[in-house]
């Protein structure tokens, strides 16, 4: 095989590998809650996952209003009160990071930061189980498997 053919083969192979890497790193899922709000799940190469309110198409990590977690997390819950669409409550791992640069327009809070208060506001006890109250829109995302379900039980992939 001539050196030109080898070089051409290597160049084509590197291009294909580069395109596959970019495709994997830039792929996202969009999940819709029953209140009409969207969450973008962006699983990045290297194990980082961003959960971003709305539909996010940027090619770099967002700079405001997002949650940074790991691709290996299973279930996380995102909660909205129907009458407060500019506030998102996140129930996930204690190690996850929440970024709110401009708290005037939109805020994300960690449910676990004040679990007792949030339990009283968002949940009610029925028999031996706690359930979210009416008026709470919930989106439960399985990051590892790449799907979500809402409070009606409807699954989105």
């Amino acid at each position: 095989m001539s050196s030109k053919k080898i070089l051409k083969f290597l160049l084509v192979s590197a291009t294909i590998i580069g395109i596959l890497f970019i495709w994997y790193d830039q792929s996202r899922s969009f999940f819709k809650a029953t209140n009409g709000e969207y969450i973008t799940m962006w699983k990045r190469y290297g194990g980082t996952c961003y959960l971003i309110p709305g539909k996010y198409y940027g090619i770099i990590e967002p700079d405001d209003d997002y949650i940074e977690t790991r691709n290996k997390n299973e279930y996380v819950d995102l909660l909205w009160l129907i009458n407060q669409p500019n506030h998102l409550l996140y129930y996930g791992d204690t190690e996850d990071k929440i970024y709110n640069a401009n708290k005037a327009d939109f805020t994300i809070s960690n449910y676990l930061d004040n679990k007792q208060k949030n339990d009283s506001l968002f949940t009610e006890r029925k028999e031996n189980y706690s359930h979210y109250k009416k008026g709470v829109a919930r989106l439960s995302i399985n990051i590892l498997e790449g799907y979500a379900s809402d409070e009606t039980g409807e699954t989105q992939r």
Side-chain angles (χ1 to χ4, degrees):
M1 203 177 220
S2 72
S3 62
K4 278 188 170 187
K5 285 185 179 184
I6 292 173
L7 183 60
K8 186 176 180 180
F9 173 77
L10 291 174
L11 185 61
V12 169
S13 297
T15 302
I16 290 171
I17 290 170
I19 289 170
L20 288 174
F21 173 77
I22 290 170
W23 174 78
Y24 173 79
D25 190 54
Q26 293 296 317
S27 64
R28 299 133 213 259
S29 300
F30 303 105
F31 301 117
K32 186 177 182 182
T34 55
N35 64 349
E37 299 293 328
Y38 281 90
I39 292 291
T40 301
M41 180 178 73
W42 184 13
K43 293 169 70 169
R44 303 283 314 262
Y45 181 76
T48 300
C49 177
Y50 298 111
L51 299 171
I52 310 155
K55 290 185 175 181
Y56 183 76
Y57 297 99
I59 59 171
I60 59 172
E61 78 179 50
D63 58 358
D64 192 13
D65 302 328
Y66 67 96
I67 300 154
E68 184 179 321
T69 185
R70 295 178 315 279
N71 287 344
K72 295 186 187 278
N73 270 358
E74 286 195 31
Y75 289 99
V76 299
D77 280 350
L78 301 154
L79 308 167
W80 295 264
L81 281 174
I82 299 297
N83 59 354
Q84 294 181 4
N86 291 339
H87 182 75
L88 176 64
L89 197 59
Y90 174 72
Y91 195 137
D93 197 327
T94 56
E95 297 171 9
D96 297 342
K97 297 175 189 148
I98 296 174
Y99 297 92
N100 289 306
N102 183 358
K103 294 184 179 191
D105 295 336
F106 188 89
T107 57
I108 302 171
S109 301
N110 191 330
Y111 193 99
L112 298 173
D113 285 348
N114 199 342
K115 187 175 183 325
Q116 187 174 0
K117 176 187 171 198
N118 289 326
D119 279 347
S120 69
L121 290 174
F122 291 92
T123 63
E124 60 190 2
R125 201 123 170 101
K126 291 184 182 175
E127 298 174 15
N128 294 331
Y129 301 99
S130 291
H131 299 276
Y132 291 115
K133 293 179 180 178
K134 289 189 185 235
V136 174
R138 177 189 58 86
L139 194 59
S140 183
I141 300 177
N142 184 320
I143 295 170
L144 183 63
E145 300 293 326
Y147 69 89
S149 61
D150 59 29
E151 68 271 10
T152 66
E154 186 175 326
T155 300
Q156 305 171 44
R157 292 217 176 254

